[in-house]
Amino acid sequence: ISKTGISLFLNSTTLLFGASTDTHIGSYGRVVSCAIDLNSNCVDVPTSNLDLITNDNFGASIIATAQNLYVGAPGRDASDFDVGAIFICGITAANNKCAAFNTSKPKVAITKNDKFGFSLALSNDQNTLYVGSVGRKTSAKVTVGGVFKCNIDGTNCSEIIAGKSVSGSNATNNAAIKNVTTAKPGGSFDFGVSYYDNIAGPLIGASLLDVTIPVQSDVTPSATIPLPK
């Protein structure tokens, strides 16, 4: 085991972390589950039924609800290399088997080198899953990355930030992205011993977090803090 802690998730009872399992040619990845008090042995989330292969990078991202664990595998091959994928697993010891997350009918098809599943975030109501796709290209085939929004059951996935949405139906909401797409290239990502094909670009979607930020007019100071003299 190596690259322990490449991703982390914590709730009141369980600590889960991603790691890599190296071979001489790459890593297929793993997720390890531990009791929060660390008074019992940590165990691997079982993946034998998933047919993981070298460079799938299972465990590169993790997020969970009370019932299910969602695991990104951005190196997963599908119709082509490194399309990426998400898996859904039970989060309890009694129900911890994993299966492919159903994205069979997304509005925007994911393709070669998209790295779908590089990052994951849940909405506050846990009904929506946001997915980073750092290798996503624009319609002009410029690598910028992107963010998808899916129902928690995997249906109705659509691209909402960057990627092909820059010139698509979400173009108005992506006006700021036009400046980002000219940013200097990022480096290469290394998960285990698997390189992410030297992805160049701003890497939009490399990390995600859904938060509510109050607007200025809604913020009431609790006290007047004097400025230093």
Side-chain angles (χ1 to χ4, degrees), residues 34-72:
C34 306
I36 195 65
D37 58 10
L38 299 179
N39 285 334
S40 58
N41 291 334
C42 298
V43 296
D44 278 272
V45 172
T47 58
S48 59
N49 63 310
L50 301 182
D51 296 323
L52 296 177
I53 61 172
T54 299
N55 299 339
D56 274 356
N57 301 314
F58 178 87
S61 57
I62 305 171
I63 198 72
T65 64
Q67 294 79 31
N68 294 309
L69 170 69
Y70 298 85
V71 181

XYZ file of all heavy atoms in Angstrom, residues 34-72:
283
model
N -11.912 2.546 8.268
C -11.485 2.352 9.649
C -12.554 2.892 10.600
O -13.201 3.907 10.297
C -10.186 3.107 9.933
S -8.810 2.763 8.814
N -12.713 2.243 11.753
C -13.571 2.805 12.795
C -12.941 4.098 13.281
O -11.719 4.228 13.364
C -13.724 1.823 13.944
N -13.777 5.074 13.602
C -13.282 6.402 13.946
C -12.396 6.385 15.194
O -11.482 7.201 15.340
C -14.462 7.382 14.134
C -13.970 8.841 14.129
C -15.232 7.075 15.387
C -13.398 9.277 12.825
N -12.630 5.428 16.110
C -11.800 5.347 17.317
C -10.507 4.573 17.082
O -9.652 4.491 17.965
C -12.586 4.734 18.469
C -13.118 3.336 18.142
O -12.723 2.757 17.098
O -13.936 2.829 18.932
N -10.383 3.978 15.889
C -9.188 3.214 15.503
C -8.889 2.067 16.453
O -7.743 1.620 16.570
C -7.974 4.140 15.390
C -8.075 5.267 14.356
C -6.826 6.122 14.375
C -8.328 4.713 12.970
N -9.918 1.574 17.133
C -9.732 0.464 18.071
C -9.950 -0.900 17.426
O -9.892 -1.921 18.095
C -10.679 0.612 19.260
C -10.214 1.695 20.226
O -9.026 1.994 20.303
N -11.162 2.292 20.947
N -10.211 -0.903 16.130
C -10.361 -2.168 15.413
C -9.578 -2.083 14.116
O -9.138 -1.005 13.692
C -11.836 -2.462 15.137
O -12.427 -1.407 14.396
N -9.400 -3.224 13.467
C -8.604 -3.258 12.251
C -9.299 -2.512 11.111
O -10.516 -2.559 10.963
C -8.365 -4.700 11.822
C -7.443 -5.439 12.770
O -6.614 -4.820 13.442
N -7.583 -6.757 12.835
N -8.506 -1.825 10.313
C -9.026 -1.208 9.097
C -9.190 -2.281 8.023
O -8.422 -3.252 7.978
C -8.076 -0.128 8.601
S -7.859 1.238 9.763
N -10.189 -2.114 7.164
C -10.456 -3.107 6.123
C -10.620 -2.414 4.787
O -11.050 -1.265 4.700
C -11.723 -3.936 6.439
C -11.533 -4.754 7.700
C -12.941 -3.038 6.553
N -10.296 -3.132 3.732
C -10.498 -2.617 2.380
C -11.966 -2.679 2.003
O -12.663 -3.654 2.322
C -9.706 -3.449 1.373
C -8.258 -3.030 1.293
O -7.960 -2.125 0.508
O -7.430 -3.617 2.025
N -12.447 -1.648 1.324
C -13.765 -1.731 0.694
C -13.642 -2.753 -0.434
O -12.761 -2.627 -1.290
C -14.183 -0.359 0.131
C -15.458 -0.478 -0.701
C -14.384 0.639 1.269
N -14.471 -3.811 -0.444
C -14.295 -4.893 -1.420
C -14.570 -4.435 -2.846
O -15.571 -3.766 -3.121
C -15.312 -5.943 -0.964
C -16.314 -5.211 -0.155
C -15.589 -4.074 0.484
N -13.672 -4.811 -3.746
C -13.804 -4.386 -5.148
C -13.621 -5.528 -6.139
O -13.494 -5.287 -7.335
C -12.762 -3.303 -5.464
O -11.440 -3.828 -5.210
C -12.978 -2.055 -4.623
N -13.616 -6.759 -5.643
C -13.318 -7.888 -6.529
C -14.308 -8.017 -7.676
O -13.976 -8.524 -8.753
C -13.285 -9.195 -5.724
O -14.529 -9.414 -5.078
N -15.528 -7.541 -7.485
C -16.540 -7.641 -8.535
C -16.438 -6.525 -9.570
O -17.163 -6.525 -10.572
C -17.944 -7.602 -7.930
C -18.239 -6.293 -7.218
O -17.451 -5.852 -6.392
N -19.382 -5.676 -7.531
N -15.541 -5.557 -9.365
C -15.458 -4.401 -10.261
C -14.470 -4.590 -11.403
O -14.421 -3.777 -12.329
C -15.059 -3.154 -9.468
C -15.994 -2.740 -8.331
C -15.485 -1.458 -7.683
C -17.421 -2.560 -8.834
N -13.674 -5.639 -11.336
C -12.669 -5.893 -12.373
C -11.777 -4.673 -12.595
O -11.539 -4.238 -13.732
C -13.335 -6.298 -13.703
C -14.092 -7.611 -13.593
O -13.605 -8.509 -12.886
O -15.170 -7.729 -14.196
N -11.277 -4.112 -11.497
C -10.367 -2.987 -11.615
C -9.081 -3.422 -12.305
O -8.622 -4.552 -12.136
C -10.031 -2.430 -10.229
C -11.193 -1.830 -9.436
C -10.709 -1.397 -8.058
C -11.828 -0.650 -10.169
N -8.514 -2.504 -13.086
C -7.280 -2.818 -13.788
C -6.254 -1.719 -13.526
O -6.555 -0.699 -12.903
C -7.499 -2.984 -15.307
C -8.024 -1.681 -15.919
C -8.459 -4.130 -15.588
C -8.089 -1.715 -17.447
N -5.044 -1.929 -14.011
C -3.964 -0.977 -13.813
C -4.365 0.421 -14.266
O -4.943 0.607 -15.326
C -2.724 -1.438 -14.606
O -2.325 -2.707 -14.115
C -1.580 -0.453 -14.436
N -4.078 1.389 -13.415
C -4.302 2.813 -13.688
C -5.763 3.244 -13.627
O -6.095 4.350 -14.070
C -3.696 3.233 -15.035
C -2.193 3.033 -15.083
O -1.547 2.964 -14.038
N -1.646 2.939 -16.283
N -6.652 2.422 -13.080
C -8.031 2.872 -12.864
C -8.075 3.988 -11.820
O -8.948 4.852 -11.847
C -8.921 1.717 -12.400
C -9.479 0.911 -13.559
O -9.241 1.293 -14.718
O -10.157 -0.104 -13.309
N -7.156 3.947 -10.862
C -7.069 4.963 -9.807
C -8.342 5.054 -8.965
O -8.789 6.146 -8.594
C -6.716 6.324 -10.403
C -5.401 6.292 -11.151
O -4.424 5.755 -10.664
N -5.389 6.843 -12.345
N -8.908 3.898 -8.665
C -10.056 3.799 -7.769
C -9.667 4.387 -6.409
O -8.652 4.024 -5.830
C -10.436 2.328 -7.616
C -11.590 2.048 -6.687
C -12.886 2.085 -7.153
C -11.365 1.720 -5.352
C -13.959 1.805 -6.307
C -12.416 1.448 -4.501
C -13.723 1.484 -4.983
N -10.479 5.321 -5.910
C -10.185 5.939 -4.627
C -9.529 7.298 -4.732
O -9.174 7.899 -3.714
N -9.364 7.814 -5.954
C -8.768 9.145 -6.112
C -9.634 10.219 -5.480
O -9.139 11.268 -5.079
C -8.556 9.449 -7.595
N -10.940 9.975 -5.379
C -11.854 10.894 -4.696
C -12.905 10.075 -3.956
O -13.249 8.969 -4.375
C -12.526 11.849 -5.694
O -13.212 11.121 -6.707
N -13.399 10.619 -2.833
C -14.388 9.935 -1.995
C -15.374 10.961 -1.451
O -14.969 12.037 -1.009
C -13.733 9.221 -0.789
C -12.642 8.243 -1.219
C -14.778 8.479 0.040
C -11.835 7.706 -0.031
N -16.647 10.605 -1.454
C -17.675 11.376 -0.756
C -18.749 10.390 -0.331
O -18.864 9.311 -0.925
C -18.255 12.507 -1.636
C -18.982 13.552 -0.795
C -19.152 11.934 -2.724
C -18.086 14.424 0.015
N -19.538 10.698 0.685
C -20.514 9.725 1.166
C -21.746 10.394 1.752
O -21.689 11.506 2.290
C -19.889 8.802 2.214
N -22.868 9.691 1.645
C -24.080 10.012 2.378
C -24.140 9.063 3.577
O -23.199 8.310 3.824
C -25.322 9.811 1.496
O -25.422 8.408 1.159
C -25.229 10.624 0.209
N -25.244 9.072 4.299
C -25.384 8.154 5.428
C -25.463 6.710 4.961
O -25.138 5.781 5.709
C -26.630 8.517 6.239
N -25.918 6.500 3.713
C -26.126 5.144 3.220
C -25.046 4.658 2.254
O -24.708 3.475 2.226
C -27.478 5.033 2.495
C -28.702 5.214 3.375
C -28.978 6.672 3.673
O -28.675 7.539 2.857
N -29.556 6.950 4.824
N -24.507 5.570 1.453
C -23.649 5.144 0.357
C -22.357 5.930 0.263
O -22.288 7.112 0.618
C -24.395 5.278 -0.980
C -25.564 4.325 -1.085
O -25.427 3.132 -0.852
N -26.730 4.847 -1.427
N -21.347 5.247 -0.238
C -20.043 5.826 -0.500
C -19.876 5.953 -2.011
O -20.168 5.012 -2.759
C -18.955 4.916 0.073
C -17.502 5.203 -0.292
C -17.053 6.501 0.366
C -16.610 4.041 0.158
N -19.414 7.122 -2.460
C -19.174 7.351 -3.888
C -17.670 7.486 -4.087
O -17.011 8.272 -3.405
C -19.911 8.600 -4.365
C -21.412 8.469 -4.218
C -22.032 8.782 -3.000
C -22.193 7.985 -5.253
C -23.403 8.631 -2.847
C -23.566 7.838 -5.109
C -24.157 8.154 -3.908
O -25.516 7.994 -3.741
N -17.137 6.715 -5.032
C -15.690 6.641 -5.218
C -15.347 6.972 -6.667
O -15.878 6.362 -7.595
C -15.155 5.236 -4.870
C -13.636 5.191 -5.038
C -15.557 4.839 -3.457
N -14.447 7.925 -6.858
C -13.999 8.268 -8.198
C -12.862 7.381 -8.661
O -11.988 6.996 -7.875
